[in-house]
Amino acid sequence: MNLTITESAQYKILDILAEENNPNLHLRVFVQGGGCSGFQYGFTLDEVVNEDDFQVPLGSSSVLVDAASAMYMQDASVDYEEKLMGSTFKISNPHA
C-alpha cells in the first residue's frame, strides 16, 4: 500500500501520541461509506494491530490502515493543516 504522510502530519501525529503517553498507541486511518458525498475518512487511536492491517512506520509507532480501507486509500496523502478557522487532518486521494 502506498500512503504518504506529510511532514506536518507526521509531527502532529507524533505529538498526539506523545500526549497520550502510551507506547502501544497507533493512529488508525479508515474509510467509511459516505452516501451522496462519497467516502468519509476517520481517525482514531488504537492499541491493536490486526493481522490484515497495513502499517506505515512513523517513529516508534505507525499509522494503521485496515485492508478494506487500504484499497480505497491507495496513493492517498495525509496532511495536517493549521488555519485561522482551525486545524485539521486532511486526506487527498487522487482516486476519489
Side-chain angles (χ1 to χ4, degrees), residues 55-68:
Q55 296 186 52
V56 179
L58 184 61
S60 61
S61 185
S62 59
V63 174
L64 306 175
V65 181
D66 63 87

Side-chain angles (χ1 to χ4, degrees), residues 13-70:
I13 293 165
L14 291 172
D15 186 47
I16 291 169
L17 293 174
E19 285 178 14
E20 293 296 320
N21 198 25
N22 180 344
N24 299 317
L25 278 181
H26 305 272
L27 179 74
R28 181 175 295 281
V29 182
F30 55 93
V31 175
Q32 296 174 317
C36 297
S37 61
F39 294 115
Q40 294 183 354
Y41 301 99
F43 300 88
T44 188
L45 298 178
D46 200 340
E47 290 182 325
V48 178
V49 178
N50 300 313
E51 281 186 29
D52 63 345
D53 281 341
F54 289 90
Q55 296 186 52
V56 179
L58 184 61
S60 61
S61 185
S62 59
V63 174
L64 306 175
V65 181
D66 63 87
S69 296

Side-chain angles (χ1 to χ4, degrees), residues 76-90:
S77 173
V78 178
D79 193 16
Y80 183 75
E81 297 180 338
E82 293 188 44
K83 296 182 179 182
L84 291 175
M85 299 301 288
S87 303
T88 186
F89 283 103
K90 177 182 174 185

